[in-house]
C-alpha cells in the first residue's frame, strides 16, 4: 500500500496510536488529577493541606496522583523537614502550561451547567 493510500485508510478506520487528545487526556484526565493541579496553581502546598483541600479524596489517592504527576514532570516534590516529615508539592513549568486547558474546561463546564 502506498503512503497516500495508507494515510487514507488510517483516517477512515482510525489511527493505530492514540491521538494527541487521547494522550493528553491520559495525563490530565485521571480522577483527581485536574483538582490536584488546580490546587497547586498558586504555589507550593504541603501534602496534608492539599489532601484537606481535596475533601473527598483519600490520602492514598492524593499520594498516588502526586507520584504520577511527579513522574510525568508536572509536579515537583520538596522535603521541607525530616522530623516530623513534611513535604510540599508545586507545579513545574510543564504543569503550569496545563492550567490553560483546565481553565477552558472549567469555563466550558460552567457555561453548560455540567
Amino acid at each position: 500500500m502506498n503512503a497516500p493510500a495508507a494515510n487514507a485508510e488510517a483516517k477512515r478506520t482510525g489511527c493505530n496510536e492514540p491521538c494527541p487528545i487521547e494522550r493528553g487526556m491520559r495525563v490530565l484526565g485521571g480522577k483527581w488529577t485536574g483538582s490536584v493541579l488546580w490546587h497547586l496553581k498558586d504555589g507550593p502546598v504541603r501534602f496534608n493541606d492539599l489532601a484537606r483541600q481535596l475533601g473527598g479524596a483519600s490520602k492514598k489517592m492524593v499520594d498516588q496522583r502526586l507520584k504520577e504527576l511527579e513522574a510525568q514532570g508536572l509536579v515537583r516534590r520538596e522535603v521541607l523537614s525530616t522530623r516530623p516529615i513534611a513535604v510540599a508539592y508545586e507545579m513545574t513549568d510543564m504543569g503550569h502550561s496545563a492550567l490553560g486547558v483546565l481553565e477552558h474546561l472549567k469555563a466550558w463546564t460552567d457555561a453548560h451547567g455540567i
Side-chain angles (χ1 to χ4, degrees), residues 20-37 61 65 68-69 72 74 98 101-102 105:
I21 292 172
E22 181 61 31
R23 291 193 313 265
M25 288 302 296
R26 288 180 183 180
V27 174
L28 297 178
K31 190 169 184 178
W32 298 105
T33 300
S35 296
V36 167
L37 289 173
M61 177 63 74
R65 287 300 166 259
E68 290 170 2
L69 291 168
Q72 293 163 337
L74 297 168
V101 173
L102 296 175
L105 181 61

Side-chain angles (χ1 to χ4, degrees), residues 23-70:
R23 291 193 313 265
M25 288 302 296
R26 288 180 183 180
V27 174
L28 297 178
K31 190 169 184 178
W32 298 105
T33 300
S35 296
V36 167
L37 289 173
W38 191 258
H39 286 290
L40 294 176
K41 68 182 172 54
D42 295 324
V45 179
R46 291 172 67 142
F47 177 83
N48 285 330
D49 293 336
L50 181 61
R52 272 191 292 277
Q53 290 173 4
L54 293 172
S58 68
K59 287 187 175 187
K60 180 180 177 181
M61 177 63 74
V62 175
D63 183 58
Q64 182 180 347
R65 287 300 166 259
L66 286 166
K67 285 178 181 175
E68 290 170 2
L69 291 168
E70 186 179 15

Side-chain angles (χ1 to χ4, degrees), residues 44 57 80 86 91 93 96 110:
L80 303 173
M91 274 199 275
D93 289 341
H96 279 284
D110 289 345

Side-chain angles (χ1 to χ4, degrees), residues 2-9:
N2 62 26
N7 287 340
E9 179 67 13

